[in-house]
Amino acid sequence: MSAAHLGVLRVAAAVEMLSLVMLLGNLFTVHTRAITTFGGPAHGMAYLVVIAAVSMAPAAAGSGARWRAFVPGVGGMLALRRLRRADSAGALRPRRTS
């Protein structure tokens, strides 16, 4: 996965999780309409960006990160963790053909 895709995934995963926490906190406390109006679409867009970013990673299918991206709220973090683990194991590094 390129550094640009990884950066997009990092930001989108953080926004996805923080917006969900914000929405749930708002739901269980004051239930302010302004927070819901801003937080709902922000969470939805972050969720879609996470799915798109993980789907564009060629090695994501083999690592199991793609299905993790579909988990609402924490899917981005789970996919990011899985991609990092696969990268540290060498699964995402290009292989030399010599």
Side-chain angles (χ1 to χ4, degrees), residues 39-92:
H43 175 70
M45 283 304 298
Y47 179 64
L48 293 175
V49 170
V50 163
I51 292 170
V54 173
S55 295
M56 291 173 58
S63 67
R66 283 191 181 154
W67 70 266
R68 285 174 172 81
F70 284 94
V71 178
V74 295
M77 292 295 182
L78 293 173
L80 189 60
R81 180 178 174 203
R82 187 61 161 184
L83 287 171
R84 284 183 183 158
R85 184 177 293 167
D87 186 35
S88 67
L92 299 180

Side-chain angles (χ1 to χ4, degrees), residues 9-25 39 42-44 46-47 50 71-78 80:
L9 180 58
R10 248 187 237 126
V11 170
V15 170
E16 179 190 16
M17 187 167 47
L18 291 175
S19 64
L20 181 66
V21 168
M22 180 182 69
L23 285 169
L24 290 175
H43 175 70
Y47 179 64
V50 163
V71 178
V74 295
M77 292 295 182
L78 293 173
L80 189 60

